[in-house]
Amino acid sequence: NEEYDEDGQLRERSNWIAGKKDGLFMEYHAEGTVKEKSNWKAGERDGLTEKYYGEIDQLMNKYRKKGEIWSSSNWKAGKRID
C-alpha cells in the first residue's frame, strides 16, 4: 500500500494482512527523506523501529512482541546521547 500527498510525493509505504499492518512500514518527510522505518506483525510493532528527525538526528526504539519497548536509544549526529 502506498499513500501520496497532494503534490504526488510518497508519504507512506506499508503492507497489510487481514486489515492489520504487517511487515515493513516506511514513512517519509515532505522533502522525501525517511521519517520512520519500522516492522509490524499483526498490527503491532515487532522488532526494530527507527525514527529520523532532520538529516542527522534520529531516535531508535526496539520493540518486542505486543509492542512493549525493551530497548531505547537516542542518537544525534551519529553519536549516542542517552
Side-chain angles (χ1 to χ4, degrees), residues 34-55:
V34 175
K35 181 176 182 181
E36 180 179 328
K37 180 179 178 181
S38 56
N39 293 290
W40 291 73
K41 188 172 185 178
E44 296 184 4
R45 291 182 189 272
D46 182 60
L48 179 64
T49 293
E50 298 174 325
K51 293 185 180 184
Y52 299 90
Y53 302 96
E55 293 182 18

Side-chain angles (χ1 to χ4, degrees), residues 7 15-17 19 31 47 50 65 77-78 82:
D7 297 322
N15 297 301
W16 295 78
I17 297 175
E31 71 277 359
E50 298 174 325
K65 290 182 181 179
D82 45 38

Side-chain angles (χ1 to χ4, degrees), residues 10-76:
L10 181 62
R11 302 298 293 158
E12 288 185 6
R13 181 176 287 145
S14 58
N15 297 301
W16 295 78
I17 297 175
K20 295 181 179 181
K21 201 179 292 184
D22 198 284
L24 181 63
F25 170 78
M26 298 286 295
E27 183 178 12
Y28 300 90
H29 291 286
E31 71 277 359
T33 59
V34 175
K35 181 176 182 181
E36 180 179 328
K37 180 179 178 181
S38 56
N39 293 290
W40 291 73
K41 188 172 185 178
E44 296 184 4
R45 291 182 189 272
D46 182 60
L48 179 64
T49 293
E50 298 174 325
K51 293 185 180 184
Y52 299 90
Y53 302 96
E55 293 182 18
I56 57 175
D57 296 346
Q58 79 180 16
L59 165 67
M60 300 174 74
N61 288 320
K62 290 186 179 183
Y63 293 82
R64 63 178 177 183
K65 290 182 181 179
K66 298 184 181 176
E68 295 177 38
I69 297 173
W70 58 274
S71 176
S72 179
S73 57
N74 294 289
W75 298 76
K76 185 169 183 167

